[in-house]
Amino acid sequence: MFKTEKISNFYKNHNFNLFYKSLHENKFENAKETLKSIENEITKLNSDNELILNDIYLLKQILLFHNSIISFWEDIYQEKYSSSWNHLQTCFDTLRKINKFSLNNQKTKELNFFEKQLLIIEKLYPYNIFMSMGMETSLFECSICGKNIDSFECEHDIGELYYGEMAFGIAKEITDINHISMVENPMDKRCVVQYPDDGHQFKGLQFLNKQLISNQLTPITIYDADETPRKILNDDYIKLKRNEKCFCGSDKKFKNCCINKEYIEEKHIELIVNHEFKLW
């Protein structure tokens, strides 16, 4: 996973087993203490070697991922579903960086487990459309050298690591916001319609919360999911004679329109729990 022996050995000697056990028992404060201890050790790491510094950056992203996992599950446990969405997206952001900067894009079995699990849980949210904003700026300043990142003077590429720092562009002097769009696949999924946490839109997460509180499942035992759609009775369906106008208002005959829509297909996700599965 790491490109240097020094950081590989550090990771092996500071495993996250105690963290996973605390998360499994919903002892979030204990899990935070474990991560804080590891963080204190990471701050002591230093080097002039670029590969080691880049591995330290990767190590910090792994730590950030685990901190975001705690925040996510705490929010689910406390019925803060809107807030949990933001922590979930931070998990995905850090996983993308971990994938990119790991040796041969290899991750540990624990990170692979959480990636699969979080992609399942993401489908329980009601968000399908996202807001996206477009703006004009005078320039994007390089986060490392401070020069225009699109100019020949800047030697850094966006999204690459340089001595433990990732280069990105900082928008300067925004001159115009030229559009706001509704899109299905934005770069950032955080800009969404806000629903109340007790609203029906979060019924899947509300079920997850009840299962957590009653110890029917834990953040570690959600192992997989069955996503087979199911058919439910269509409450709007009205049985008519075949040649009557359809109830939906289409002005078509019932036989040519909604005659076969007495049942409708509904998205259905059944979580698969494995109580024997352990990460520690």
Side-chain angles (χ1 to χ4, degrees):
M1 184 173 185
F2 296 96
K3 298 175 182 176
T4 62
E5 185 178 355
K6 178 178 179 178
I7 304 305
S8 292
N9 289 337
F10 177 93
Y11 188 75
K12 291 175 184 175
N13 294 329
H14 296 79
N15 64 60
F16 291 82
N17 287 348
L18 187 58
F19 167 85
Y20 299 133
K21 191 172 187 298
S22 298
L23 190 63
H24 175 64
E25 296 170 350
N26 292 330
K27 295 179 179 177
F28 301 121
E29 292 304 318
N30 290 358
K32 289 178 186 177
E33 289 176 12
T34 299
L35 294 185
K36 187 63 179 176
S37 175
I38 296 174
E39 182 181 9
N40 290 338
E41 293 301 313
I42 291 175
T43 58
K44 299 175 185 177
L45 293 171
N46 205 353
S47 176
D48 294 326
N49 183 291
E50 184 173 18
L51 286 178
I52 291 176
L53 290 172
N54 290 348
D55 268 357
I56 292 173
Y57 175 90
L58 175 58
L59 197 57
K60 289 177 179 178
Q61 290 302 308
I62 293 171
L63 187 71
L64 175 58
F65 171 78
H66 285 83
N67 273 307
S68 299
I69 280 282
I70 295 177
S71 298
F72 169 75
W73 281 110
E74 270 190 317
D75 277 353
I76 296 294
Y77 200 82
Q78 297 169 7
E79 302 178 87
K80 299 177 181 177
Y81 307 122
S82 292
S83 173
S84 71
W85 175 255
N86 293 326
H87 294 305
L88 179 62
Q89 296 311 311
T90 301
C91 288
F92 288 133
D93 288 345
T94 53
L95 278 172
R96 281 188 282 270
K97 292 175 185 175
I98 292 168
N99 283 334
K100 180 174 182 177
F101 298 122
S102 294
L103 180 63
N104 298 325
N105 303 117
Q106 294 179 342
K107 299 195 302 297
T108 63
K109 67 173 185 178
E110 294 85 1
L111 292 175
N112 282 321
F113 164 79
F114 280 117
E115 183 172 28
K116 178 182 177 181
Q117 181 197 77
L118 295 176
L119 285 169
I120 291 169
I121 295 174
E122 187 182 35
K123 296 175 183 178
L124 298 178
Y125 286 83
Y127 309 125
N128 296 306
I129 300 295
F130 307 89
M131 304 301 294
S132 177
M133 180 173 67
M135 62 181 71
E136 295 179 7
T137 67
S138 59
L139 63 90
F140 282 93
E141 184 180 281
C142 176
S143 60
I144 295 178
C145 66
K147 298 175 182 176
N148 185 340
I149 204 163
D150 296 317
S151 70
F152 290 109
E153 295 180 347
C154 176
E155 299 178 349
H156 305 109
D157 293 325
I158 293 174
E160 297 301 325
L161 287 180
Y162 300 89
Y163 288 90
E165 290 186 59
M166 189 176 77
F168 58 89
I170 303 170
K172 293 289 183 178
E173 300 176 24
I174 297 173
T175 57
D176 186 30
I177 297 176
N178 53 31
H179 72 271
I180 297 177
S181 305
M182 299 177 70
V183 298
E184 293 183 357
N185 297 297
M187 292 185 66
D188 189 335
K189 291 184 176 180
R190 290 175 178 82
C191 193
V192 294
V193 174
Q194 294 296 307
Y195 300 112
D197 288 327
D198 60 355
H200 71 275
Q201 293 88 353
F202 291 122
K203 63 180 181 180
L205 297 170
Q206 291 159 3
F207 171 79
L208 189 59
N209 166 268
K210 290 175 182 175
Q211 295 291 299
L212 277 172
I213 291 175
S214 62
N215 293 318
Q216 297 299 307
L217 54 77
T218 80
I220 302 298
T221 57
I222 301 174
Y223 190 76
D224 208 337
D226 179 0
E227 299 182 50
T228 305
R230 65 179 181 183
K231 288 190 174 183
I232 61 172
L233 196 64
N234 182 359
D235 292 335
D236 296 326
Y237 186 83
I238 301 173
K239 189 170 181 62
L240 302 169
K241 292 181 179 179
R242 291 174 59 82
N243 290 318
E244 287 187 301
K245 275 190 180 180
C246 188
F247 60 84
C248 72
S250 65
D251 285 335
K252 295 180 181 178
K253 290 183 178 180
F254 182 55
K255 65 181 182 182
N256 295 326
C257 195
C258 296
I259 192 169
N260 295 320
K261 295 182 180 178
E262 185 174 359
Y263 292 89
I264 55 175
E265 196 171 87
E266 179 185 61
K267 182 176 76 171
H268 178 68
I269 300 175
E270 182 175 343
L271 299 177
I272 297 173
V273 175
N274 183 351
H275 291 289
E276 303 301 318
F277 181 74
K278 292 183 178 180
L279 287 176
W280 62 90

